[in-house]
Every structure is written in C-alpha cells, then in structure tokens.
Amino acid sequence: MQALKPSVRLLAGTFCSGHCCFLSAFSSTDGTGGGTRRRQDGRPVSIPPRETLEPYADLSDVVEGNPRNLAPSPWLARIVALLDGSPEMEHRLDEFCRNFLIRLSPEFVSHVLRNPRVQSSPVIALRFFDWARNQRNFSPDLNAFVSLIDSLSRSGNVDRVRAFAEEMMPAVSAIGAKHANSLLKNFAAAGLVKELLWLWRKMKESNIEIDLLSYNCLMDGLVNAGFYESAARVFDSIIGGGRMSPDVVSYNIIIKGFCRWGKNQEAAGQLKEMEEKGIVPDKITYLTLIQAFYSVGEFDSCLGLYHEMQEKGVEIPPHAYTLVITSLCKNGKPHEALRVFDSMALKNCAANVAIYTALIDGFAKMGNESKAVTFFNRMKAEGFEPDAVVFSVMVNLLCKVGKVDEALEWYENCKESGVAINSVFFTSLIDGLGKAGRINEAERVFGEMGIIGCARDSYCYNAMMDGFVKAGKFERAIALFKEMEKEGCGQTVYSFTIMIDGLFKEHRNEEALKVWEQMIDKGITPNAACFRVLSLGLCMAGKVSRACKILDDLAPMGILPDGAYADMIGVLCRVGRVDHACKLADGIVDREREIPGKVRTVLLNALRKAGNADLAVKLLHSKIGIGYDRMGSVKRRVKFQNLLRG
C-alpha cells in the first residue's frame, strides 16, 4: 500500500470522529510504521510506514513554490491544539500520531515550541519536548534546544536551562547568528557564565560578527552571576576598543553591576559620564540608582535623582514614586512625601498599597493622627485592603497618643475580620498597654498570640518584660526572661537592659552585675543605653569605682558608649556625691578619654542641673580642670577635686 501524503491524511482526518479513524485499521504498533498485520480472515495486510512531518506544507506535487515563502504545515495547529496541559496530554499525542501514521521531525518540534501559546507555558513546553524525544530514532536538533531554552528562560527556571544547555553543548559543532543571539540573551538573563563563555567561543569559531548587542548580553550575564569586576573589564574593552561605542543599555547594565557590587558612587559616576558623552539616560538608569541609594538609606540621593528626572522630562515609573515617597517618610519628611504624592496624582499615576502604608507610617511617627487616619480611609476608599502592616502602624499610633481603648477596638475588629495579625501588631499593642499601666490586658494579649499561632519574637518578649518591670511585677519579668531562652527566642541587648534596669530598681545590685556578665559571656555587645543603665545603677548604689572599672574593661574591646561618663557625672551630682563626680572627671582626663574642656562643661552643667549653683559659679570663674599650676619646672593640671577644697 502506497504511503499517504500528510496533506491527504489531514483531509482524511476530517472524516474521523474522536480518536477513531479509517487509517487506524492499518496503524503500526512499533512506533515507526511499516510491517504487516492480518485481517480477521487471516490474510496479511501491509502497513504503510509513518510519515515524518515537517513544519511546512508539502505541496511539491501540486505547484513549485518559493522555498523562502513556505506556508506553515496545517499539522502545526492540530498538534498545538492537543497541548492543553491535561494529565492525558501525552496519551492523546500518542493516539493522534498512531491514528494518522505520523511522527514529528526535530524541526517540527522546534516550531511547536516557538508557538506563542506553548512558549507562555514552560511546563507544557517541557512535557511536549520530553514526549517528542521518546519517539523512536528521534534526536533533538539545535533548533529544538534553543526554542525550549527560550521558553524555560522566560519562566526563570535556571536549573532546567542549565541542564538542557549542558545536554546541548557537546552536540554543537557550529552555530548560526540567530541561534547565538537567542542563547546569548537567555544565558545572560539566567546568569549562566560557563555556558555564556562557551557560546562566546563558538560565535568566534563560527565567524559570527560580535556586535554591541552581544557585548551587552555578555555583560548582563556576568552581572547577573555576580562577576562584577569581569563585567567592568568587558565594559572598558568596549570603550577602549574604539570599534563601537556603548549605548544606554550598556550603561544601564554596568550601573546595575556597580550598584549590586555596593559601589553606588561609581554607579553615579557612570551617569555623569553618560551625560558627558551625550547619551540620554532613561527611566531604567534612574530607577536602578534610586533603588541602590534607597537600599543603603541614602534618602537625599533618592530625592535628588527624582528631581533630576522631573527636570529632564524622563518618565517616572510607579516604583520610583514608591521608593521616593517611602524614603522621605523614613527620613521624617512626610509633608515632602505628600508633595511627591500629589505630583504623582497629577500625572495620572495610580498609588499602591506600599505608598499609602509609607504615608500612614510617616505621619504616625510624627504623631499626626488626623493625617494618618485620612490616608487610611482614602486607601480603603480606593479599593486597597489594608494589611497587617498598616493595622500595626495605626495601633502603634493610637497607643503613642494614649488612645489604648481605640487600639484594643482595632485589635478586636481585626480578629473578627480575619486579618492576619503579625508580631509587630502584637508588640505595639502590648507595649502601649504596658506603658499605660494596663498590664493584665497586656498579658492577655500576649497569651492570645500563642492561641492564634503567631510566633513571639524578641521584640514582643521585651515589650512584655518592660511592662512587668514598670508594673512592679519583677518576678514575672524574670520568668519571661528565662522563657525566652527555653523557647529558642534569642535574648537581645534590649532584653538584658530591661533586666539590669529592673534589678537595680529592686536594689538587687549583685544580680544586676551577674546579668551584665552573662550578656558579655554570650557575646552580646552592650550599647550606650545598656551601659547607661548599668553605670547609673552602680553610681546610685555608691559603686562608682566598679562602674569606672567596667568602662575601662570595655575600652580595649572598642566599646566606648557615647556620653557614658556624662551620665555618670550627672547622676553623682544629682544625688549629692560631688566628690565622686570630681574624682571621676579627673580619671577620665588622666586616661585621655576626653579633652579637659569638654569634661569641665559636663561637670558644670551637672552642678547647675543639680541645683548646686555655688559650686557651678566657682567652677566657672576658676581654672579648675583646664588650668595649670607650676611647681618649679614642673607644670601640673589643676584637678577637678580642687573644687571642694577651700
């Protein structure tokens, strides 16, 4: 029996219903076609071999067409229609090919993989490719690999891209410009440096002209893989080679590289270089720089770049507005952020949840309740549903302004509405209730965290402990402090500061020192607030020398709390121990921890605030601390302890 043309088989398929076809009686079971079968009466029947489908219609027996203007095969649409992602997809493909006595060529498979519908679904593309390669004697060609890698790269499936690239590379002897450019772009996006360099060598071996697009892809791949210095060398080779000039894309890539490298100033320098060379920066250039400066807290630079975009008429993307408004709010300038927000509205750029959250938080931190509530209501009116972050900001604001009852109402409403309350929300509420002296309600809320499954972090524990200390329930605070360690919640310097402060207030000075030593043994670095609590507690207990010794022990460790000695001098003067204050001041100067003039000013202010006007005036009109007395050829500084003599 003569083999049917694929076009004839497709025509025959119009008379088929479901998966049954008059050709199925002759279908082969070996996957390739050919061979014999027997009828019911026992007579042998020859089976035609399967036709290999190509991506273009075979009309050579009808008309001689232009090979450069071939019509796509009608089988392409039929095969693509079967790729629906269902569990039976592979089985349906098998049935279809068996019924119509066809098999797919590698070129046909690559055309299917390039179909927009297939490329948009990497899972379907991968399943189809795996099915196709299971055909007998099927060997995927470069076209198929390139098409599949393109689909997988769009989904960000780097591991799969790497795996298929490694499978493809040994079989490639030469490569064309079209395939090279596609692979170059995809390898660069995935940050596959090894594969990128292999392709670069193949391009040179195949005498493919390497243009600026190729260099940009190479740089982008190096940057995405974290090889920033290598990317910079490639960029320098473009400039120094003289054959081509970098464009705005080249500069955007190298600016991205410098920003990820942590060299924001070098990145900003590239922006100036662009302007000097007459290359106009685009919104990607500015957005990359704004993002980089925002991430390191250089909010003024973010604002400067935003104004530069406005002056030059560069389109400002919504994310840039978000970063600038958020940076201004974090910098304590919500009113300036509001002006940016208004200009954004004038350009018909819609706000988002992040912008509203930043504005609410900015005004809340200023204590401007009316503005925060206004933006909260406006946010809801525009269809944005407030999340746990927004609710925690509002609760924190209400607690700060003393409206704890309203904060509790918000808490109850959130529970009833099913809002996912986070630990920040709980911490703000517990802290507000503790500071308001409503420790029982704070403890109830703290207990409800475990009921709803919200993990307690160190901030939450610290807020609860601080509330217990302020309420005089110090034993409960100690129990909670020990519970932190048992629950695997790391104790922070603030946890130890609360405990040390509470122990000193309970006059348990030795226990406070033990907690301090425990903190040092755990490798937790004390901050200025922690040392202030310790030093003031020791000074109030009359253990000034012990506080000075601890300060001396911290100095070799590179820990010098700002204003520690000033706090100690101040508390000593306040409790009437001026002699100890003068002795401490002399010790600080003798150890060259501070210049005499500054120490003298600190002591003068401490005496004045303590109401000891006579000694303050005496110190002011004397050379104590800063003057010198001569004893023969020896010159000695006049010590502060002379203040109490004569």
Side-chain angles (χ1 to χ4, degrees):
M1 181 177 179
Q2 184 180 2
L4 296 175
K5 291 281 186 182
S7 56
V8 177
R9 288 189 182 136
L10 182 61
L11 180 62
T14 60
F15 299 100
C16 302
S17 60
H19 292 296
C20 298
C21 175
F22 77 94
L23 290 172
S24 62
F26 307 105
S27 62
S28 170
T29 59
D30 65 357
T32 61
T36 60
R37 264 189 168 185
R38 294 187 178 276
R39 297 178 181 271
Q40 292 181 354
D41 57 7
R43 289 184 298 168
V45 179
S46 62
I47 300 173
R50 291 194 180 191
E51 286 287 340
T52 300
L53 295 184
E54 297 297 336
Y56 299 107
D58 183 8
L59 303 176
S60 58
D61 56 343
V62 179
V63 64
E64 293 185 4
N66 185 352
R68 296 183 180 178
N69 190 26
L70 295 175
S73 169
W75 291 95
L76 278 170
R78 297 289 299 273
I79 295 295
V80 170
L82 294 173
L83 305 181
D84 56 0
S86 65
E88 300 82 19
M89 187 180 81
E90 288 83 357
H91 176 70
R92 291 172 62 191
L93 284 166
D94 287 332
E95 287 290 319
F96 186 84
C97 292
R98 184 165 54 249
N99 289 341
F100 289 103
L101 299 178
I102 57 175
R103 62 194 302 269
L104 311 185
S105 69
E107 187 67 22
F108 189 96
V109 170
S110 68
H111 271 68
V112 173
L113 290 171
R114 285 199 294 272
N115 182 277
R117 178 184 160 193
V118 178
Q119 280 210 329
S120 64
S121 178
V123 175
I124 291 178
L126 187 58
R127 285 177 61 186
F128 173 69
F129 183 82
D130 288 338
W131 171 86
R133 64 200 281 166
N134 286 330
Q135 296 180 108
R136 183 169 296 183
N137 299 326
F138 181 89
S139 179
D141 62 0
L142 182 60
N143 284 330
F145 276 114
V146 171
S147 301
L148 181 63
I149 287 173
D150 189 37
S151 177
L152 294 174
S153 178
R154 295 183 184 189
S155 67
N157 196 334
V158 177
D159 292 334
R160 285 285 192 175
V161 172
R162 182 184 289 108
F164 282 109
E166 290 177 355
E167 184 180 344
M168 173 194 69
M169 284 157 55
V172 176
S173 57
I175 193 167
K178 180 180 177 182
H179 291 152
N181 288 332
S182 176
L183 289 174
L184 201 63
K185 178 189 68 175
N186 292 323
F187 289 162
L192 301 179
V193 175
K194 174 187 170 184
E195 292 76 6
L196 201 59
L197 296 178
W198 167 84
L199 180 60
W200 195 261
R201 287 193 299 271
K202 283 294 178 184
M203 289 173 68
K204 289 187 174 181
E205 292 172 4
S206 304
N207 295 320
I208 297 175
E209 182 182 358
I210 298 177
D211 55 9
L212 184 59
L213 175 62
S214 304
Y215 276 107
N216 287 344
C217 287
L218 178 61
M219 281 195 301
D220 193 37
L222 291 169
V223 167
N224 290 336
F227 292 91
Y228 308 123
E229 193 172 353
S230 300
R233 285 201 295 268
V234 173
F235 183 76
D236 291 338
S237 70
I238 298 175
I239 297 175
R243 293 181 301 169
M244 59 188 76
S245 298
D247 59 3
V248 64
V249 177
S250 311
Y251 275 102
N252 286 347
I253 293 169
I254 199 62
I255 286 172
K256 178 176 71 172
F258 277 124
C259 291
R260 291 187 180 180
W261 200 356
K263 297 187 175 184
N264 292 349
Q265 296 306 321
E266 286 82 349
Q270 295 297 326
L271 177 62
K272 293 180 181 178
E273 186 178 307
M274 289 178 70
E275 295 171 347
E276 292 171 0
K277 291 186 176 182
I279 300 173
V280 180
D282 60 8
K283 62 181 180 181
I284 302 298
T285 315
Y286 285 104
L287 183 58
T288 304
L289 287 167
I290 291 173
Q291 177 75 63
F293 283 118
Y294 175 83
S295 63
V296 296
E298 295 186 26
F299 302 136
D300 291 335
S301 298
C302 296
L303 185 61
L305 289 165
Y306 164 75
H307 287 314
E308 190 173 326
M309 292 179 77
Q310 278 189 317
E311 291 170 4
K312 294 183 177 180
V314 179
E315 178 190 352
I316 303 175
H319 188 54
Y321 279 114
T322 303
L323 293 173
V324 172
I325 290 172
T326 306
S327 65
L328 286 169
C329 290
K330 285 188 174 183
N331 208 21
K333 300 176 180 178
H335 291 287
E336 290 187 39
L338 186 55
R339 285 197 290 271
V340 176
F341 178 80
D342 291 337
S343 67
M344 176 183 174
L346 290 173
K347 293 184 179 180
N348 295 323
C349 185
N352 53 40
V353 174
I355 289 176
Y356 278 115
T357 303
L359 288 168
I360 293 168
D361 186 52
F363 284 111
K365 286 177 179 176
M366 288 185 65
N368 194 332
E369 181 189 355
S370 60
K371 278 284 186 183
V373 172
T374 298
F375 277 103
F376 179 83
N377 293 332
R378 183 171 175 178
M379 176 183 180
K380 292 183 70 176
E382 292 191 10
F384 296 109
E385 193 63 33
D387 56 10
V389 177
V390 178
F391 281 114
S392 65
V393 169
M394 293 302 299
V395 167
N396 188 38
L397 170 63
L398 292 170
C399 290
K400 280 184 177 179
V401 297
K403 296 184 178 181
V404 183
D405 290 324
E406 288 187 36
L408 279 171
E409 288 179 12
W410 281 60
Y411 170 62
E412 296 298 335
N413 290 335
C414 287
K415 285 199 301 182
E416 292 173 3
S417 304
V419 176
I421 306 174
N422 57 21
S423 59
V424 178
F425 187 109
F426 277 109
T427 301
S428 300
L429 186 57
I430 292 168
D431 185 56
L433 290 168
K435 287 177 178 176
R438 299 165 67 168
I439 193 64
N440 292 331
E441 290 174 278
E443 192 172 8
R444 175 181 64 82
V445 173
F446 183 79
E448 288 178 1
M449 286 188 72
I451 296 173
I452 69 171
C454 181
R456 297 167 180 155
D457 57 13
S458 60
Y459 296 99
C460 188
Y461 272 105
N462 291 343
M464 194 69 245
M465 284 192 299
D466 189 49
F468 280 135
V469 170
K470 285 182 169 62
K473 297 183 177 182
F474 192 69
E475 294 303 324
R476 301 294 297 277
I478 293 176
L480 210 56
F481 182 74
K482 293 177 180 177
E483 183 185 316
M484 286 182 74
E485 198 164 13
K486 290 179 182 177
E487 295 294 327
C489 181
Q491 296 162 333
T492 66
V493 64
Y494 300 103
S495 311
F496 283 98
T497 301
I498 293 166
M499 293 304 299
I500 292 169
D501 185 38
L503 286 167
F504 274 123
K505 287 178 179 177
E506 293 285 317
H507 305 293
R508 297 159 68 170
N509 304 332
E510 291 303 320
E511 290 182 57
L513 285 170
K514 285 180 181 178
V515 173
W516 169 270
E517 291 168 1
Q518 181 185 350
M519 179 182 70
I520 299 298
D521 292 341
K522 284 191 171 185
I524 299 174
T525 304
N527 57 15
C530 186
F531 182 77
R532 185 181 300 113
V533 167
L534 178 75
S535 60
L536 295 184
L538 290 172
C539 289
M540 294 288 286
K543 298 183 179 183
V544 181
S545 58
R546 186 69 180 273
C548 293
K549 184 179 182 304
I550 291 174
L551 186 61
D552 291 338
D553 292 340
L554 292 176
M557 299 165 58
I559 303 170
L560 295 171
D562 294 333
Y565 73 90
D567 293 328
M568 293 168 66
I569 290 173
V571 73
L572 288 170
C573 290
R574 194 162 62 247
V575 297
R577 294 175 180 172
V578 180
D579 54 339
H580 286 86
C582 293
K583 186 177 179 181
L584 175 60
D586 284 326
I588 292 166
V589 174
D590 292 341
R591 289 177 175 81
E592 296 182 351
R593 297 280 168 75
E594 192 55 83
I595 58 175
K598 189 171 182 180
V599 176
R600 185 174 186 266
T601 303
V602 168
L603 181 57
L604 185 65
N605 285 328
L607 291 168
R608 179 180 59 81
K609 290 178 181 178
N612 204 330
D614 293 338
L615 287 178
V617 171
K618 180 180 178 181
L619 178 60
L620 179 63
H621 294 290
S622 69
K623 59 180 181 179
I624 293 174
I626 57 173
Y628 292 87
D629 286 336
R630 282 189 176 276
M631 297 179 65
S633 60
V634 180
K635 190 168 77 169
R636 296 179 184 275
R637 182 180 60 83
V638 180
K639 292 187 174 290
F640 288 104
Q641 295 174 63
N642 291 332
L643 184 64
L644 300 176
R645 296 173 187 170

